[in-house]
Amino acid sequence: MSSNKLNWSRRSTFILAAAGSAIGLGNLWKFPYMAGENGGGAFVLVYLLCILIIGLPIMMSESLIGRRSHSDAMTAIGKAAADSNGSKNWQAIASIGFVCVFLLFSFYSVIAGWALDYTVGFALGDFFGKNQDEVEGLFDALLASPARLIGWHTVFTIMTAVIIMGGARKGIEKAIAVMMPLLIIILFGMLVFSATQTGKFMEGVHFLFNWSPEKLKDPSVVISALGHAFFSLSLGMCAIMTYASYMQDDIPITQSAAWVTVLDTLIALAAGLVIFPIVFAHGMAAGSGPGLLFVTLSTAFADGGSLGTVLGVVFFFLVSIAALSSSISIVEPVVRWTIERFDVSRKAATVSYCGLTWLLGLATVFSFNIWSDVHLLGGEKTPFDLIDYLVSNILLPLGGLFIALFTGWVVSKNVSREQLPELSDALFHLWHFMIKFVAPVAILLVFYSVIAE
Ligand code: TRP
């Protein structure tokens, strides 16, 4: 159905859209706090390795499968299988992705709601002149209020739904084209601030890049890093596959995937380099968890007079936009598939799915207040922790494993080769080797190490 097509109007749009999908809360909010909780350098090293040897090859696989069929993910996998004389059952991979959509979007929207709340809070001057304890108090007050969290969660869900539903796509394409560069500029400006004003820049650098191999023995660090590589690159649930299905045939997939990967990684590292010097300068705890971004940066902004307030508004607004450009890519694949499969309207599909994830999102909302003592499965995890763990550390790597196995073992080399003409023979074989052996073995090893623990 041509009406479902995202009109990628320019050649660069795939990179922009895929980068918009990849760059989001994962880079700005999640990466720093995970690095903090997992001891810094050890986590970062494994994360970078996962990006390079697993993430990039799988991003190329998802892209080529999506691009060659120009259709929804389920159909795309089916076609690649059929053209390679493989079984259609591989389409089940897309089902894993579709399960992820609901879980992932349910908490994504709640956290994005925090950023919306902060944008407004800074605009109203709530943070002006506040000291660190007061800033922490404001964050705790937000988490303690289910009504406020639900309000912003609702606003964010509606924003996502409206964009997915309507012709606003041209709008988002334009918005991303402006916002993403702006985000990069602001982040860079803050990097300069961290480097020159905190006096603790080198401590931050040391924390992030101090590769202490002894910490690698802890399998939980490794699985978190692997899971986060998938999360951050938007891999494992056919989101990139769906975006690539809108890509023109003559665009080199390798370069596009490499650009997206590099940009995504740089932005995560930049966020870490902005945040940790501030953490150390204020004597905060690196491992303080999901509040890290919101408490550290707000403390620095609150300290910065009127300029700090303006920067606070702009920064959290950009975080919200980055989250929005990611959230549409979370929901779009399943919406697109539903429309093509069941011939329902885009509006009906969007409203039903967003309604469902909104409801599920309440579990995350309550995890920070009335259910904060609810620890499921006898562990220490709140419902939010559990949903995040299930998606990031299990389902996304599992989806990625199947995509790698499918491309490496089922899809014929000729079929892949046609989509990757830019590669020399040697590089093509390298990619194929990575996707056939290295990526699956690495993912299986990580799973095994966690199970064997
Ligand atoms: N990559 C996004 C982020 O870092 C999140 C995201 C968007 C995502 N679409 C996805 C994660 C698809 C996994 C799959 O915030």
Side-chain angles (χ1 to χ4, degrees):
M1 264 191 237
S2 59
S3 61
N4 298 327
K5 289 229 156 97
L6 275 176
N7 262 333
W8 286 161
S9 43
R10 274 187 275 129
R11 294 176 55 89
S12 56
T13 309
F14 171 75
I15 298 184
L16 204 63
S21 162
I23 298 167
L25 296 174
N27 310 60
L28 303 166
W29 161 73
K30 204 169 177 207
F31 171 77
Y33 94 72
M34 293 196 66
E37 281 183 335
N38 290 296
F43 171 85
V44 176
L45 174 66
V46 187
Y47 170 70
L48 293 177
L49 268 177
C50 290
I51 294 259
L52 192 68
I53 64 174
I54 303 173
L56 181 59
I58 291 184
M59 184 173 290
M60 291 168 65
S61 300
E62 280 203 28
S63 304
L64 78 86
I65 295 170
R67 205 261 299 272
R68 71 185 291 281
S69 90
H70 293 294
S71 58
D72 71 275
M74 189 76 86
T75 312
I77 296 175
K79 269 193 196 159
D83 294 345
S84 310
N85 299 322
S87 155
K88 278 233 168 195
N89 293 338
W90 286 96
Q91 284 184 321
I93 299 174
S95 326
I96 302 183
F98 295 163
V99 171
C100 281
V101 168
F102 296 101
L103 298 170
L104 182 62
F105 187 54
S106 78
F107 74 79
Y108 207 83
S109 159
V110 175
I111 312 292
W114 299 358
L116 289 174
D117 182 280
Y118 268 55
T119 312
V120 174
F122 268 100
L124 295 176
D126 292 354
F127 291 85
F128 190 85
K130 296 272 191 307
N131 65 28
Q132 183 187 330
D133 288 342
E134 290 167 323
V135 169
E136 278 177 24
L138 287 174
F139 182 65
D140 293 340
L142 169 64
L143 294 195
S145 164
R148 243 168 99 191
L149 293 177
I150 292 175
W152 289 118
H153 166 50
T154 311
V155 172
F156 190 80
T157 304
I158 292 175
M159 284 164 74
T160 306
V162 166
I163 292 174
I164 294 192
M165 252 188 298
R169 282 201 216 88
K170 271 264 157 64
I172 198 90
E173 207 182 303
K174 282 206 191 93
I176 302 177
V178 179
M179 300 289 180
M180 281 293 152
L182 202 59
L183 179 71
I184 294 175
I185 293 169
I186 296 228
L187 206 58
F188 186 75
M190 289 164 62
L191 198 58
V192 173
F193 167 84
S194 259
T196 57
Q197 304 298 312
T198 59
K200 298 279 181 186
F201 190 66
M202 286 324 288
E203 254 182 67
V205 173
H206 188 254
F207 180 74
L208 276 183
F209 299 108
N210 167 31
W211 289 327
S212 37
E214 69 279 359
K215 292 213 186 97
L216 291 187
K217 297 210 179 75
D218 185 352
S220 75
V221 173
V222 184
I223 184 97
S224 303
L226 174 72
H228 189 62
F230 279 99
F231 186 96
S232 194
L233 292 174
S234 303
L235 295 175
M237 51 180 264
C238 306
I240 294 291
M241 198 180 288
T242 303
Y243 269 16
S245 72
Y246 304 115
M247 186 181 191
Q248 293 90 333
D249 286 319
D250 56 345
I251 294 183
I253 283 178
T254 310
Q255 280 91 324
S256 305
W259 264 109
V260 174
T261 306
V262 168
L263 275 176
D264 186 72
T265 309
L266 286 182
I267 292 208
L269 293 177
L273 286 176
V274 167
I275 288 175
F276 286 108
I278 300 177
V279 168
F280 297 130
H282 286 81
M284 300 172 181
S288 63
L292 189 69
L293 166 78
F294 291 88
V295 174
T296 50
L297 291 191
S298 310
T299 302
F301 290 141
D303 206 22
S306 315
L307 178 66
T309 296
V310 173
L311 282 177
V313 177
V314 178
F315 180 77
F316 283 107
F317 177 69
L318 291 174
V319 174
S320 313
I321 296 293
L324 194 61
S325 66
S326 300
S327 73
I328 52 175
S329 84
I330 301 176
V331 188
E332 173 69 20
V334 69
V335 167
R336 179 163 191 196
W337 170 73
T338 310
I339 298 170
E340 299 200 358
R341 176 78 172 69
F342 299 107
D343 204 24
V344 294
S345 74
R346 180 166 269 274
K347 193 167 169 195
T350 311
V351 170
S352 339
Y353 289 146
C354 288
L356 202 66
T357 57
W358 181 87
L359 213 58
L360 208 58
L362 298 183
T364 294
V365 166
F366 297 145
S367 295
F368 293 102
N369 36 70
I370 53 182
W371 289 355
S372 60
D373 290 328
V374 174
H375 295 309
L376 300 169
L377 304 179
E380 292 174 358
K381 292 185 168 38
T382 61
F384 157 68
D385 295 330
L386 199 69
I387 294 176
D388 179 24
Y389 189 87
L390 185 66
V391 172
S392 308
N393 293 5
I394 299 175
L395 294 177
L396 294 181
L398 203 63
L401 173 65
F402 286 125
I403 290 170
L405 291 175
F406 176 63
T407 335
W409 296 84
V410 180
V411 176
S412 76
K413 273 194 172 181
N414 297 342
V415 164
S416 307
R417 188 64 174 130
E418 261 171 32
Q419 294 296 322
L420 301 170
E422 67 275 12
L423 290 179
S424 66
D425 280 342
L427 281 176
F428 176 76
H429 286 115
L430 176 66
W431 167 77
H432 202 262
F433 180 76
M434 301 294 283
I435 207 75
K436 187 166 186 173
F437 299 106
V438 179
V441 169
I443 298 172
L444 285 171
L445 274 178
V446 175
F447 276 145
Y448 175 77
S449 68
V450 174
I451 293 165
E453 192 188 4

